[in-house]
Amino acid sequence: MSLLYLWVALASAGIMGFVTVLDKRLTSFNMPNLPSLYAGMAVCLVAHGSFALVFTGIPTDASMSSIGYAVASGLCWGGALAMMFWGYTMEEASRSSAIIHTFPVFVAFMGVFLLGETLSAGQWTGIFVVVGGAFLVTLWGSRGGLAIRLNWALPILIGASILTALAIVLGKQALDELPVLFVYSVRNYGMGVVFLTLWKPGAWGDFFMAMRNRQTLFLLFGAEFTLAPLGVWLNVLAINLGPVSLVATATATRPLSVFLFSSLCSTRWLPVLDEPLEWRTLSVKFLAVGMVVIGIAMLTLL
């Protein structure tokens, strides 16, 4: 089997990792509230979805079930993103991303039991090593050792993880009949609809007021209008090219890039975030990164 899907998924994860850091900055510092950010994202998603639809058109031979899978996938992606941003307001970017990216376990079970995919014992081991590394960064360093850090962000982020798994599996079903660009378009529309339903009075006014700040405008344009669409398109392409469970696991390396970018952006030379850089915290994250890299190597070689 060609490993092209793996490299495409890893590229998507790296790009979206940087987007996560920019989104964390927007939610915690730049945007006045979440509804104003949702309003801006809805505009971006609908614009990119429309642009893609102009190029691909609506397939005339597609069944309603495949289009329904694409729509459902987009709605699940929107719900997952909304819960993810909610979690960002309560937790560090690196920890939030790691908890969300436990979704390969859910995807693997769905892929095997719903899509008929098969995985070797080594690939199952690789999946759990990757997810174990992702979940490890929920541990908080303390003087007495390691303690699990629990707050209201945890169930919210786990909910985002489950919705992400559903979105990937439904998207894979849609791609059995539909072209990549059309599924990408429908996915954007679905996410846009979710964000529009989260609108609150005054959200658009807050959004346009925030855009008067050059830094906020630059961050939003870079994250949501440029990098995120590229990362999303690569993710859809990877799902189309390879087994959904393995693509999902490769996508779960996103916490690695989030960890690296968030640490870099929390230094005195690039003070974009304010995540702690104490050794006892970083050591847990370094161990988690090592597990993710080993797990991906197992998926590639076994």
Side-chain angles (χ1 to χ4, degrees), residues 8 11 27 56 64 104-105 110 115 117 130 136 147 235 249 277 281 293 297:
V8 173
T27 56
T56 188
M64 291 302 298
V105 169
M110 293 177 189
L115 304 182
E117 294 184 352
V130 170
L136 184 62
N235 181 255
T249 303
L277 297 178
T281 301
V293 172

Side-chain angles (χ1 to χ4, degrees), residues 7 16 68 73 85 95 162 239 258 263 266 283:
W7 302 117
M16 296 306 293
S73 175
F85 286 123
R95 296 180 188 278
I162 294 173
I239 293 172
V258 173
S263 297
S266 297
S283 60

Side-chain angles (χ1 to χ4, degrees), residues 31-227:
M31 300 300 292
N33 48 57
L34 279 180
S36 62
L37 177 61
Y38 293 156
M41 292 189 66
V43 172
C44 171
L45 289 165
V46 171
H48 280 279
S50 300
F51 185 75
L53 190 61
V54 168
F55 277 91
T56 188
I58 300 177
T60 57
D61 57 345
S63 66
M64 291 302 298
S65 61
S66 62
I67 295 177
Y69 284 132
V71 172
S73 175
L75 293 174
C76 286
W77 276 117
L81 284 176
M83 296 182 77
M84 179 186 73
F85 286 123
W86 189 10
Y88 282 171
T89 64
M90 307 178 193
E91 189 55 275
E92 300 169 17
S94 55
R95 296 180 188 278
S96 298
S97 180
I99 296 170
I100 292 170
H101 285 78
T102 57
F103 66 80
V105 169
F106 303 113
V107 172
F109 280 105
M110 293 177 189
V112 170
F113 293 106
L114 298 180
L115 304 182
E117 294 184 352
T118 58
L119 298 174
S120 67
Q123 288 172 326
W124 274 111
T125 303
I127 287 173
F128 282 101
V129 169
V130 170
V131 172
F135 193 74
L136 184 62
V137 298
T138 64
L139 299 179
W140 185 264
S142 63
R143 293 181 180 179
L146 297 177
I148 297 179
R149 176 185 173 119
L150 297 176
N151 57 25
W152 283 110
L154 184 60
I156 293 170
L157 294 169
I158 290 177
S161 176
I162 294 173
L163 284 175
T164 300
L166 282 170
I168 290 174
V169 172
L170 290 169
K172 181 65 173 180
Q173 289 286 81
L175 286 164
D176 286 342
E177 289 189 28
L178 301 173
V180 170
L181 201 58
F182 180 76
V183 173
Y184 168 79
S185 173
V186 175
R187 173 173 164 173
N188 276 17
Y189 278 123
M191 290 189 290
V193 167
V194 170
F195 285 124
L196 285 175
T197 61
L198 298 173
W199 171 85
K200 290 184 178 180
W204 289 105
D206 291 339
F207 169 73
F208 288 115
M209 183 67 68
M211 291 303 100
R212 296 173 63 180
N213 181 284
R214 290 185 178 180
Q215 182 189 80
T216 303
L217 179 62
F218 175 77
L219 289 173
L220 187 69
F221 181 82
E224 303 303 334
F225 283 81
T226 306
L227 293 176

